[in-house]
Amino acid sequence: NSGRRAEHDFSALSIAFQKADIVVRSQFSLGATEQAFLLSCILEAGGKNAMILSTCNRTELYCSGLSMDDMRNLFLRSTGASIEVFERVAMKYHRFQAIEHLFNVGCALNSQILGDTEISGQMKRSLLHSKAAGIDTRWLERLVSGVLRCSKRVKRETGLSYGATSVAYSAVQYMRESFVTLEKK
């Protein structure tokens, strides 16, 4: 980085429910093996502060030390998805926009279920996976810590998560209300 601060080249790539339906999102979904492979590729390429957030509503790659094109190419190599589909549905954030996006995601302001209660835990696990892969996450750890503190404060002071849970929980609740019995469903 030749002395540049992490936030000056921090970027995020996002495939999320806002632009991609479930069929398209599934092309970019990364299981544990694919995530480990992508993290090793990022490490080898000199990336730092990298984290992969893969949930039912999004697959996102956060990283500093790599260009947006390098991030995209490594991401596509890990998923096998086409560049044409990627370019059509990907959202790209750079510098402070990437930091703001991470805050919006972590505070559940950018969720299908506003106030989603699962994202904080998913973010913590993603950071642990990055550390286990040997990624230098010192700056990212401080950032994620700030995001999680902010998330708690938003939820406590606004009641944002009151009644909100997760997409999966909401789907089950909807089914319970819609059907007499869930047997054979």
Side-chain angles (χ1 to χ4, degrees), residues 43 129-136:
L43 181 62
H129 291 158
S130 295
K131 286 177 69 172
I135 302 286
D136 177 355

Side-chain angles (χ1 to χ4, degrees), residues 8 34 56 65 67 70 76 78 98 119 137 160 173:
H8 290 225
E34 293 89 359
C56 61
S67 72
D70 289 339
L76 289 174
S78 300
I119 195 69
T137 59
L160 179 66
Q173 290 303 104

Side-chain angles (χ1 to χ4, degrees), residues 133-184:
I135 302 286
D136 177 355
T137 59
R138 290 175 288 185
W139 179 81
L140 184 61
E141 286 179 65
R142 290 189 304 275
L143 178 61
V144 169
S145 177
V147 168
L148 296 174
R149 279 193 315 275
C150 186
S151 176
K152 285 180 186 177
R153 185 173 177 194
V154 165
K155 290 170 184 169
R156 182 181 64 245
E157 293 181 15
T158 67
L160 179 66
S161 291
Y162 179 77
T165 53
S166 67
V167 172
Y169 181 81
S170 297
V172 170
Q173 290 303 104
Y174 174 79
M175 288 174 48
R176 284 188 174 145
E177 293 171 8
S178 299
F179 300 105
V180 175
T181 179
L182 294 181
E183 190 174 315
K184 298 183 182 181

Side-chain angles (χ1 to χ4, degrees), residues 12-28:
L13 297 176
S14 175
I15 306 292
F17 70 95
Q18 292 96 333
K19 289 183 75 176
D21 63 25
I22 187 69
V23 174
V24 173
R25 286 194 314 270
S26 67
Q27 295 176 39
F28 297 94

